[in-house]
Amino acid sequence: MESIFERQMRQSYSKGSTIAVGCNQWGDTGKGAIVDRFMHIADICVRSMGADNCGHTMHVNGMKYVSHMIPSGILFDSKGIVSVIARDVALNPLTARLELAEFTKAGITCNNLKISFRAKLILPYHILFDMLSESKSGKAKKIGTTGRGVGPVFQDYIARVGLTVGDMLDEGVMYQKLYHVLRDRIAFLKTLDIGMVREVMQHERLENGLFFHSKHILDIDAIVERYREHGEFFRDMICDTEAYLKSQLGTATIVFEGAQGLLLDINQGSYPFVTSSRCSVAGIANGAGLREKNITDPLGVVKAYVTRVGEGAFPTEIGGYDAVSTYKTQWHDKLVDVPLVEQINDSNEVIQGGAIGMIGGEVGATTGRSRRVGWLDLVALRHAIGINGSQIVITKLDVLTGIKKIPVCTEYCYEGKDNPAIPLHTGQFLDEMIPENEILKHCRPIYTYLDGWDEDISNVRSWTDLPENAQKYLSLIEELSGAKIVMIGVGPEREQVFFT
Ligand code: IMP
């Protein structure tokens, strides 16, 4: 039977809507759970950017599913929802196959998956170069990537030497393209310590040394053979998804599942500590071969606080750089007997931030790394909604329950050197983020402090049932950012989200 939420959803989004679920922060805002709810009305679920660097977590009937490559729509495959991996996704065929195998084992049918023949193809050397460049870079240069080969695969694409998913269907083409692209790479690899390269290639993501060649380092024949086999596996799913999606516009309800977040977007994010794809709503549309105007309902998911994985400036980080890791190594064990609800009010911000991360389960679904935790940043949000539009979904509001005073960043004070080009001077206040790391790292957050709430809100299903102080928190977000909150999430289960 249709729940109240599901009925409201059906009434709010008419048949033929195109809903893009993006993220207005640094990813990990709970898009997966929101996309999952939209499956109630969806005919098609599309992933159109990113790669297996993201991890979408869904909780269904007490089971937890994490998908990195396959659109969340797959969980509803038996209901006829078509899942699409579109053109601007970089496909890791191994990850996709492993995920499909796991879904199948869990009894989920996977009959309606379509993959663009133009999607970019992640090859073993992309992963190798990503891992090597991260391990060679000093802390200052490191991006803190997920090690999935994302930067290198998009580099190849921009350099116009990349392989696409369709190439897997033609061994000859694959060999020719690989031979061309790998000549220089192999010459470069030969300048490195071969023992070290060999060791990196033992990684399970590189199939435990399957592609290592003692003379040429990269074994082209082994790569071609493995990818030919992947091609066979995916043969019936590979098609022209752009043509398919265009043909469905206006009649089918299409839900686009964004990956990462606007602040990680290659153009709009905190460069250079970003990912290599376009994470904006426009990027989501274009990545599927559509226009931004084809999206009837652009949504930006916003967590009630902020997290970031990897390196890069993070003005509202609680307790300073990488405090959550410090908490884990220095405080966690000592504080096992102190309830988290006390820790989140600790005057030591390392403890406070670490405890919020614990309550929020802030561990990367892809990398297992602890996420850095910060207060809500309206300066960043203004920047994001300026690009993604004003409709937002607030998630994980419940995590803030129990915090006595909740800081909200309303402005930055720039404390770097004067920069006449922008222009920008020391002491200047900024109400919108300039997404350049060199600037961002000199921005001090200015906070407004709001009274928190103690009531358990995990069972709340309407705005009016929220504690007054939670309403004030949300109203302040709308008032100071220009956003319109359309949905609120108060827990990880699919029932724990409601319309405002
Ligand atoms: P890459 O996408 O693996 O190249 O990583 C570039 C940056 O984006 C790193 O800081 C990653 O931690 C971050 N990143 C990539 N994917 C995600 C994601 O799904 N959630 C959060 N951060 C991500």
Side-chain angles (χ1 to χ4, degrees), residues 307-378:
T307 56
R308 175 160 206 183
V309 200
E311 303 300 313
F314 185 0
T316 63
E317 185 166 13
I318 307 172
Y321 177 72
D322 236 1
V324 171
S325 295
T326 313
Y327 171 83
K328 293 248 160 93
T329 51
Q330 294 180 16
W331 290 103
H332 179 261
D333 289 353
K334 287 186 197 147
L335 297 172
V336 273
D337 295 330
V338 181
L340 285 171
V341 69
E342 272 178 41
Q343 295 185 38
I344 54 175
N345 288 300
D346 203 293
S347 58
N348 179 340
E349 290 192 345
V350 170
I351 296 175
Q352 186 177 35
I356 295 173
M358 294 286 293
I359 295 176
E362 296 299 352
V363 175
T366 302
T367 57
R369 290 182 286 180
S370 296
R371 297 177 185 139
R372 300 158 65 192
V373 174
W375 299 118
L376 189 63
D377 182 345
L378 296 184

Side-chain angles (χ1 to χ4, degrees), residues 26-28 53-55 130 143-148 150-151 260 264 274-276 309-311 369:
W26 277 289
D28 307 318
N53 48 350
C54 67
D130 194 359
I143 302 283
T145 72
T146 57
R148 278 6 186 218
V150 174
Q260 288 84 43
L264 285 170
V274 291
T275 187
S276 298
V309 200
E311 303 300 313
R369 290 182 286 180

Side-chain angles (χ1 to χ4, degrees), residues 398-412:
D398 54 304
V399 174
L400 299 183
T401 299
I403 301 178
K404 302 281 175 237
K405 284 277 175 201
I406 309 177
V408 181
C409 171
T410 54
E411 270 184 312
Y412 294 158

